[in-house]
Structure formats: structure tokens, C-alpha cells
Amino acid sequence: MTRERMRAARFLGAGEIALEDVRVPHPGPGDVLLRVDACALCGTDAHAYRDGGDVIPGHEIAGTVVELGEGVGTPPIGAFGAVYLVEFCRSCYACRHGWTNMCTQRKGMYGFTAPGGFAEYVAVRAGCFLAVDRSIAPGAATSVLDLFGTTAHAFRRAGGSPSVVAVMGCGPIGLGAIAVARALGAEVVYGLDVVPYRLDLARRLGARPIDARKGDVVQRLLEMEPDGCDVVIDAAGRTDAQRQAIDVAAPGGRIVIVAHNDEPLEVSTHRDLIAGERSLIGSEYFPIGEFEEVHRLVAEGFLDPRPIQTHHFPLEGFGEACRTFWSGETGKVVVLPQDAPSRSPA
């Protein structure tokens, strides 16, 4: 690796973006240096987009190993893969039980507290590199992380095979949940949102779209499913949607909260949980041990990210990528740092 400078994006706050010329990071002991081939935008990037960030953003990274730090034997130079978000410690209670997503002594989170992938290169821990089959395109490789890794874990948290599923919110995570539910054999999947563009994407993925702007959502869904839904995924991150998720759950149903929301949710332990034996479950990212199964499903075509990844931009178009993404008129937006500056969004 002889190149010394690279382009990297920064969130300055209030929706302002900077594309800076910075030094290529040097991989320290135990690190690998990746050429970033793709990095996807996520709804959680909105905080830094609004308030500004201290590090290069981007946590849904796919790339190629171009340099090894001291002590690294694998992966080899030239390996292609994705980056696990959490630099986990391996020794805390969560890590000892395989719950690396909940590491209590995490050393960093790429794109949040450590430099991320909206740049031409990124240095990551070798243990956070997840090898991906070369048959999977770079943009599609990012789907093994948040898009399908996170949503597949949510269904594992729900337990069992879903039959009737409702997905609250049809942003990228909600659309990923619809695709996973279909892959798991769900008989019926409902997708609820307020954006017509995303409701149409949900329909194309095989869901029955419900426009949450029209009428009483709970009443309308229960008219179609009088017994309720056995699994409800909240991908909206809104208190009203979480309340609706509880109200449409069947007796014995599982409500899995995936989207982040700091607002309080009022729950009646007797009416909402005990009487109907419903389970209200939190789900955070995915343990690294679940990666191989999601990778297999993508590699073998059971999960296809292409209908969900609706827009692609070069790194020079990062500002436009962000504005387009937060307009709500997209599925997943992918940035391709190695593309020529003249490339148009697809």
C-alpha cells in the first residue's frame, strides 16, 4: 500500500456535508486496512447528519483487504468481506455467551466512535472482518450486516417460524424484515408505512401494504387478521407505531422492537402482556456467530438485496445520497467510494 491520501466524508451538522482530503489510516497491530468498495447509509446516521460527528461515518461496510497490521495472519491481502460493527472484547459476560452485539466492554463502533466506511479506506480489527463470497457484488455484500443480519436476528429473537407478520415501518430495515419473513416462509406479511414509495417497495417484496395515514391502522389490520399477528417487527422507531405493534399482536404473539426510540412507551403489564401472554422483545444488531447463515442465504439467492437497494452514488455524491435518503423516497442507499466521480446514481 503506497497511497498516502484519500477522500473521506464528514457530517458537520445541520445537514452539512464535507468531503475532505485526509491521510490513509495505518493498520495497527491486529488490524487490516480495507479498500472500501461499498458502504450503505442507515437511519441511525441521522443523528450525526443532524448534529455533526467526530469521526468518518459509515458502519455498513464492504471492502477488500489491501494491507495487514502486525501479527495478522488472516484474512489475507485480497480477501473480500464485510465489517462487523462492534469491536467486541471477547471476555465480558455477553461475549463469553456469544452475544458480541451486546459487548459491555466494546472498544469501538465503526462509523460511530471509530472511523467508518464513507471513505476510500478504513482500518478495522481483523476479528471484525467477515469474509464474503466473491460472487456477491460489493453493494449487495453490505446487506449481510444491517439489512438482513439485523432483521434475521430479530426473527430469531421472536423464536419459531412466523406465520402472520406485521412490519411497522417500511424503511430499509422494515423492507429487510419483509424479505426475511418471506424467506422464512411466513404465510402473510403486512407492511405499514406513511410513504407511498416505500409501501410500493413493500408490495413488490410480497407484503400487503397498509397506508398508516388512512384511518385506524389497528382496526384495519385486525379486520383482515381477527386473531392478530404472531410476530410484529417495529422498524419505525416511533412510540405510536410501537403501541400499534402491541395492539395487533395475537395471543402468544411476539413484538420485537428493532428501531431505536428514546421516547417512553406506556405498557399495561396485565392487558398487554400477561393476559394474552405476549412477549415484548428488544433486538440489537446481531451476534457475529449468526453471520454465516445470513451470508449463505444471500449467496444462494434466498435473500436478494437488489430490490431494496434502490439508489447508488459515488463518494463525490455523498451529500446528494444523504439528501435523497432522508427524503424518504428510497429504499437502501449505497455509496461506492471506488466509482468514478462521473457515475450517476442508479
Side-chain angles (χ1 to χ4, degrees), residues 133-259:
D133 192 281
R134 280 283 184 185
S135 66
I136 302 174
T142 65
S143 72
V144 301
L145 302 168
D146 288 33
L147 188 61
F148 294 142
T150 293
T151 51
H153 179 60
F155 280 101
R156 288 190 181 93
R157 293 279 291 145
S161 300
S163 177
V164 179
V165 175
V167 177
M168 319 300 287
C170 296
I173 291 297
L175 295 169
I178 290 170
V180 170
R182 299 290 293 172
L184 292 175
E187 297 173 13
V188 183
V189 183
Y190 295 94
L192 294 82
D193 206 287
V194 298
V195 179
Y197 181 96
R198 288 179 168 174
L199 287 169
D200 186 56
L201 285 179
R203 179 185 58 77
R204 295 183 189 186
L205 291 169
R208 299 182 183 180
I210 296 178
D211 190 335
R213 298 172 301 173
K214 300 177 180 179
D216 186 323
V217 167
V218 173
Q219 179 181 346
R220 289 164 58 203
L221 200 154
L222 291 178
E223 286 174 355
M224 294 181 283
E225 297 293 340
D227 295 326
C229 304
D230 58 319
V231 175
V232 186
I233 304 291
D234 171 55
R238 293 172 52 95
T239 304
D240 55 348
Q242 292 167 349
R243 180 64 255 173
Q244 292 163 352
I246 296 171
D247 292 338
V248 301
R254 289 90 70 198
I255 305 102
V256 187
I257 308 294
V258 179

Side-chain angles (χ1 to χ4, degrees), residues 267-275:
V267 176
S268 166
T269 53
H270 173 69
R271 182 186 68 250
D272 295 330
L273 304 180
I274 297 172

